[in-house]
Coordinates of all heavy atoms in Angstrom, one line a residue:
R88 N 0.8 -1.2 0.0 CA 0.0 0.0 0.0 C 0.9 1.3 0.0 O 2.0 1.3 0.6 CB -0.9 0.0 1.2 CG -2.0 -1.1 1.2 CD -2.8 -1.0 2.5 NE -3.9 -1.9 2.4 CZ -3.9 -3.2 2.9 NH1 -2.8 -3.6 3.5 NH2 -4.9 -4.0 2.8
T89 N 0.3 2.3 -0.6 CA 1.0 3.6 -0.6 C 0.9 4.2 0.8 O -0.2 4.2 1.4 CB 0.4 4.5 -1.6 OG1 0.4 3.9 -2.9 CG2 1.1 5.9 -1.6
T90 N 2.0 4.6 1.4 CA 2.0 5.0 2.8 C 2.8 6.4 2.9 O 3.9 6.5 2.3 CB 2.7 4.0 3.7 OG1 2.1 2.7 3.5 CG2 2.6 4.5 5.1
I91 N 2.1 7.3 3.6 CA 2.8 8.6 3.9 C 2.8 8.7 5.4 O 1.8 8.6 6.0 CB 2.0 9.8 3.2 CG1 1.9 9.6 1.7 CG2 2.7 11.1 3.6 CD1 1.2 10.7 1.0
V92 N 4.0 8.9 5.9 CA 4.3 8.9 7.3 C 4.8 10.3 7.8 O 5.7 10.8 7.2 CB 5.3 7.9 7.7 CG1 5.5 7.8 9.2 CG2 4.9 6.5 7.2
V93 N 4.1 10.8 8.8 CA 4.7 12.0 9.4 C 5.4 11.5 10.7 O 4.7 10.8 11.5 CB 3.5 13.0 9.8 CG1 4.1 14.1 10.7 CG2 3.0 13.6 8.6
A94 N 6.6 11.8 10.8 CA 7.4 11.2 11.9 C 8.2 12.3 12.6 O 8.8 13.2 12.0 CB 8.3 10.1 11.4
H95 N 8.3 12.1 13.9 CA 9.2 13.0 14.7 C 10.4 12.1 15.2 O 11.5 12.6 15.2 CB 8.4 13.5 16.0 CG 9.3 14.1 17.0 ND1 9.9 15.4 16.8 CD2 9.8 13.7 18.2 CE1 10.7 15.7 17.8 NE2 10.6 14.7 18.7
R96 N 10.1 10.9 15.5 CA 11.2 10.0 15.8 C 11.8 9.4 14.6 O 11.2 8.5 13.9 CB 10.7 8.9 16.8 CG 11.7 8.1 17.6 CD 11.1 7.1 18.5 NE 10.2 7.7 19.4 CZ 9.4 7.1 20.3 NH1 9.4 5.7 20.2 NH2 8.6 7.7 21.1
L97 N 13.0 9.8 14.2 CA 13.5 9.4 12.9 C 13.9 8.0 12.8 O 14.0 7.4 11.7 CB 14.8 10.3 12.6 CG 14.6 11.8 12.6 CD1 15.9 12.5 12.3 CD2 13.5 12.2 11.6
S98 N 14.1 7.3 13.9 CA 14.4 5.9 13.9 C 13.3 5.0 13.3 O 13.5 3.9 12.8 CB 14.7 5.4 15.3 OG 13.6 5.6 16.2
T99 N 12.1 5.6 13.3 CA 10.9 4.8 12.7 C 10.8 4.9 11.2 O 10.0 4.2 10.6 CB 9.6 5.3 13.4 OG1 9.4 6.7 13.0 CG2 9.7 5.2 14.9
I100 N 11.6 5.7 10.6 CA 11.4 5.9 9.1 C 12.7 5.7 8.3 O 12.7 6.0 7.1 CB 10.9 7.4 8.8 CG1 12.0 8.4 9.4 CG2 9.6 7.6 9.4 CD1 12.0 9.7 8.8
I101 N 13.7 5.0 8.9 CA 14.9 4.9 8.2 C 14.8 3.9 7.0 O 15.6 4.0 6.1 CB 16.0 4.3 9.2 CG1 15.6 3.0 9.8 CG2 16.4 5.4 10.2 CD1 16.7 2.4 10.7
A102 N 13.7 3.1 7.0 CA 13.5 2.2 5.9 C 12.6 2.7 4.8 O 12.3 2.0 3.9 CB 12.9 0.9 6.4
S103 N 12.2 4.0 5.0 CA 11.3 4.6 4.0 C 11.9 4.7 2.6 O 13.2 4.9 2.5 CB 10.9 6.0 4.5 OG 10.2 5.9 5.7
D104 N 11.1 4.6 1.6 CA 11.6 4.7 0.2 C 12.0 6.1 -0.1 O 12.9 6.4 -0.9 CB 10.5 4.3 -0.8 CG 10.1 2.8 -0.6 OD1 11.0 2.0 -0.8 OD2 9.0 2.6 -0.2
L105 N 11.4 7.1 0.5 CA 11.8 8.5 0.3 C 11.5 9.3 1.6 O 10.4 9.1 2.2 CB 10.9 9.1 -0.9 CG 11.1 10.5 -1.2 CD1 12.6 10.8 -1.7 CD2 10.1 11.0 -2.3
I106 N 12.4 10.2 2.0 CA 12.2 11.0 3.1 C 12.2 12.5 2.6 O 13.2 12.9 1.9 CB 13.3 10.8 4.2 CG1 13.2 9.3 4.7 CG2 13.1 11.7 5.4 CD1 14.3 9.0 5.6
L107 N 11.2 13.2 3.0 CA 11.1 14.6 2.6 C 11.3 15.5 3.8 O 10.6 15.3 4.8 CB 9.8 15.0 2.0 CG 9.3 14.1 0.8 CD1 7.9 14.5 0.3 CD2 10.3 14.3 -0.4
I108 N 12.2 16.4 3.8 CA 12.5 17.3 4.9 C 11.8 18.7 4.6 O 12.2 19.3 3.6 CB 14.0 17.6 5.1 CG1 14.8 16.2 5.0 CG2 14.3 18.3 6.4 CD1 14.3 15.2 6.0
L109 N 10.9 19.1 5.4 CA 10.2 20.3 5.2 C 10.7 21.4 6.2 O 11.0 21.1 7.4 CB 8.7 20.2 5.4 CG 7.9 19.5 4.3 CD1 7.9 18.0 4.4 CD2 6.5 20.0 4.2
H110 N 10.8 22.6 5.6 CA 11.2 23.7 6.5 C 10.5 25.0 6.0 O 10.6 25.4 4.8 CB 12.7 24.0 6.4 CG 13.2 25.1 7.2 ND1 13.2 25.1 8.6 CD2 13.7 26.3 6.8 CE1 13.7 26.2 9.0 NE2 14.0 27.0 8.0
E111 N 9.7 25.5 6.9 CA 8.9 26.7 6.5 C 8.0 26.5 5.3 O 8.0 27.4 4.4 CB 9.8 28.0 6.4 CG 10.5 28.3 7.7 CD 11.3 29.6 7.6 OE1 11.4 30.1 6.4 OE2 11.8 30.1 8.6
G112 N 7.4 25.3 5.2 CA 6.5 25.1 4.1 C 7.1 24.7 2.8 O 6.4 24.6 1.8
Q113 N 8.4 24.4 2.8 CA 9.1 24.0 1.5 C 9.9 22.7 1.8 O 10.4 22.5 2.9 CB 10.0 25.1 1.0 CG 9.3 26.4 0.6 CD 10.3 27.5 0.1 OE1 11.3 27.7 0.8 NE2 10.0 28.1 -1.0
I114 N 10.0 22.0 0.7 CA 10.9 20.8 0.8 C 12.3 21.2 0.5 O 12.6 21.6 -0.6 CB 10.4 19.7 -0.3 CG1 9.0 19.3 0.0 CG2 11.3 18.5 -0.2 CD1 8.4 18.3 -1.0
V115 N 13.1 21.1 1.5 CA 14.5 21.5 1.4 C 15.5 20.4 1.2 O 16.6 20.6 0.7 CB 14.9 22.3 2.7 CG1 14.1 23.6 2.8 CG2 14.7 21.5 3.9
E116 N 15.1 19.2 1.5 CA 15.9 18.0 1.3 C 15.0 16.8 1.0 O 13.9 16.7 1.5 CB 16.8 17.6 2.5 CG 17.8 18.7 2.9 CD 18.6 18.3 4.1 OE1 18.5 17.2 4.5 OE2 19.3 19.2 4.7
R117 N 15.5 15.9 0.1 CA 14.8 14.7 -0.2 C 15.7 13.6 -0.5 O 16.8 13.8 -1.1 CB 13.7 14.9 -1.3 CG 14.3 15.2 -2.6 CD 13.1 15.3 -3.6 NE 12.4 16.5 -3.5 CZ 11.1 16.7 -3.9 NH1 10.5 15.7 -4.5 NH2 10.5 17.9 -3.8
G118 N 15.4 12.3 -0.1 CA 16.2 11.2 -0.4 C 16.0 10.1 0.6 O 15.1 10.2 1.5
R119 N 16.8 9.0 0.5 CA 16.7 7.9 1.4 C 17.5 8.3 2.7 O 18.2 9.3 2.7 CB 17.2 6.6 0.8 CG 16.3 6.1 -0.3 CD 16.8 4.8 -0.9 NE 16.8 3.8 0.1 CZ 15.7 3.0 0.3 NH1 14.6 3.1 -0.4 NH2 15.8 2.0 1.2
H120 N 17.4 7.5 3.7 CA 18.1 7.8 5.0 C 19.6 8.0 4.8 O 20.1 9.0 5.2 CB 17.8 6.7 6.0 CG 18.5 6.8 7.2 ND1 18.2 7.7 8.2 CD2 19.6 6.0 7.7 CE1 19.1 7.6 9.2 NE2 19.9 6.5 9.0

């Protein structure tokens, strides 16, 4: 299933296919862990 995760604890998302870093409403970084 397609999954979108909002996470504060980064250890829970290290296996994600893509991680998006948001800052002030913009994506400033993207990639795998």
